[in-house]
Amino acid sequence: MGGFVGAAGAQASPHGRMEPSLLSGTANPRLADAVAAELGVEPAACAVERFPDGEVSVEIQASVRDRDVVIVQPTSPPPDPHLLELLAMADAARRAGARRITAVVPYFAYARSDSRHGRRVPLLARLVADLVETAGVDELVTVDPHTVQLEGFFRIPMHGLTAVPVLAAAVRPLVGAGAVVVSPDAGRIKMASAYAEQLDTRLAVLHKRRLTGTEVEAVGLTGDVRGRNCILIDDMISTGGTLVEAARALGDAGAAPEFIAVATHGLLMDDALEKLAAAGIVRVLVTDSVARRHGPGGAEVQVVPIAPLIADALRGMRARGTAAARG
Ligand code: R5P
């Protein structure tokens, strides 16, 4: 278990290093608890509240002096309050004398703002990376970030994990002979290829044009989907617009009328699931990177846990850190 033993991090590890303190913000405490359980530690008490005017208030209620601190906080919707909580918790831990701060941000908001399409627009992925570093975070763990370029915006180490193997294993029993994995746009070709390889299927690629924040248009298809069952792949589902348009284009190209969608981050805003169901997407597989916020109705959702993946990564980082410290 690479040094994560004992409760609440009160003990020293076998090599004399104090066990880490795991803190959770309010974005996904269930995931934080699952990571803590995988690691065999209790989450440390941390009060995160809001003043009536909306300002955040954070107090870590256990000593973190000279301790490694792990903060689990996806910047899922609403992204700005969750981001500020993460920054406040990191700042609190740094000012309280934490030795090393690791932010586990499985869903990293603003990663889509990784390049500027216009002369007077911000580069928010870079700005957020700077804020995270300024708050005192020493390393970042994230899962299937929207773009691999995100790593280049950080000076601190960024560990980009992928949920593709666990999601592929979950969808495998549903994949029949002759099925096709479909990338809904050019940006997802690499991820879709990884699924196609793991599921032993063919690959098709749609070409997408974004019209507005909620509207997209499929402008072309590479690959043959006629009469075939299609598995749509994406890194995230927000409004569902991308996958709805993909399903429409695949239907026009003669694909079988029912689809499965697989995505790492199920933001599933508003009536996304209803829209997906209306487009023939009968089942959606997502991880628990984002806390479930949708009610019943719409496409059926299967949630695949990623705590084991995150815990493995933390154990590996800790073991490498310990080995380096021993020289
Ligand atoms: C865009 O490039 C992303 O990979 C997703 O396709 C997109 O952000 C999903 O958003 P929505 O569900 O609102 O179309």
Side-chain angles (χ1 to χ4, degrees):
M1 294 273 280
F4 280 88
V5 290
Q11 302 150 347
S13 67
H15 20 75
R17 193 160 148 203
M18 291 300 282
E19 294 303 335
S21 299
L22 187 141
L23 308 177
S24 175
T26 64
N28 197 343
R30 193 174 284 196
L31 177 64
D33 287 349
V35 172
E38 286 285 332
L39 297 172
V41 300
E42 289 286 332
C46 179
V48 182
E49 287 166 8
R50 297 263 154 201
F51 288 108
D53 63 358
E55 287 184 354
V56 71
S57 144
V58 164
E59 186 185 6
I60 303 169
Q61 294 168 325
S63 172
V64 293
R65 181 157 304 282
D66 297 327
R67 302 279 287 275
D68 292 350
V69 169
V70 175
I71 303 171
V72 179
Q73 174 79 337
T75 48
S76 46
D80 302 350
H82 287 157
L83 172 63
L84 206 71
E85 270 180 32
L86 170 67
L87 301 176
M89 292 168 78
D91 189 65
R94 180 174 62 87
R95 291 176 192 279
R99 198 185 78 94
R100 190 166 183 80
I101 301 170
T102 302
V104 177
V105 189
Y107 170 69
F108 193 95
Y110 293 114
R112 284 180 290 183
S113 175
D114 63 336
S115 52
R116 293 191 334 118
H117 303 285
R119 293 173 61 193
R120 289 175 289 278
V121 296
L123 190 56
L124 284 167
R126 174 59 205 256
L127 177 60
V128 172
D130 286 348
L131 291 170
V132 167
E133 286 189 22
T134 301
V137 171
D138 295 294
E139 52 191 333
L140 181 96
V141 176
T142 189
V143 181
D144 290 329
H146 176 70
T147 158
V148 289
Q149 289 93 292
L150 184 64
E151 184 172 9
F153 294 156
F154 285 98
R155 283 170 298 242
I156 57 172
M158 187 197 97
H159 305 268
L161 313 181
T162 179
V164 169
V166 288
L167 283 166
V171 78
R172 189 170 291 121
L174 308 172
V175 177
V180 183
V181 161
V182 181
S183 173
D185 54 38
R188 235 25 64 198
I189 293 177
K190 200 166 169 205
M191 177 181 258
S193 305
Y195 276 105
E197 194 173 308
Q198 295 192 24
L199 296 170
D200 198 18
T201 69
R202 296 187 194 192
L203 176 69
V205 179
L206 283 160
H207 302 278
K208 173 177 98 178
R209 191 156 60 109
R210 184 164 281 286
L211 306 174
T212 67
T214 53
E215 284 175 293
V216 295
E217 183 187 20
V219 290
L221 170 68
T222 306
D224 185 7
V225 298
R226 270 170 303 175
R228 294 180 183 274
N229 291 112
C230 294
I231 301 134
L232 286 157
I233 299 303
D234 216 338
D235 58 322
M236 59 190 283
I237 307 173
S238 179
T239 65
T242 297
L243 296 187
V244 166
E245 176 62 5
R248 185 203 59 73
L250 292 171
D252 288 354
E258 291 198 341
F259 306 92
I260 294 173
V262 184
T264 303
H265 309 293
L267 276 63
L268 301 171
M269 305 305 294
D270 306 323
D271 58 349
L273 285 175
E274 283 77 9
K275 289 199 291 193
L276 295 175
I281 299 172
V282 289
R283 188 185 281 226
V284 175
L285 285 85
V286 292
T287 74
D288 55 357
S289 64
V290 172
R292 194 174 175 144
R293 42 187 276 139
H294 45 84
E300 189 185 333
V301 181
Q302 183 176 336
V303 179
V304 177
I306 50 165
L309 178 71
I310 292 170
D312 266 358
L314 290 171
R315 278 194 288 264
M317 287 157 61
R318 177 123 172 118
R320 285 193 294 279
T322 303
R326 279 202 302 262

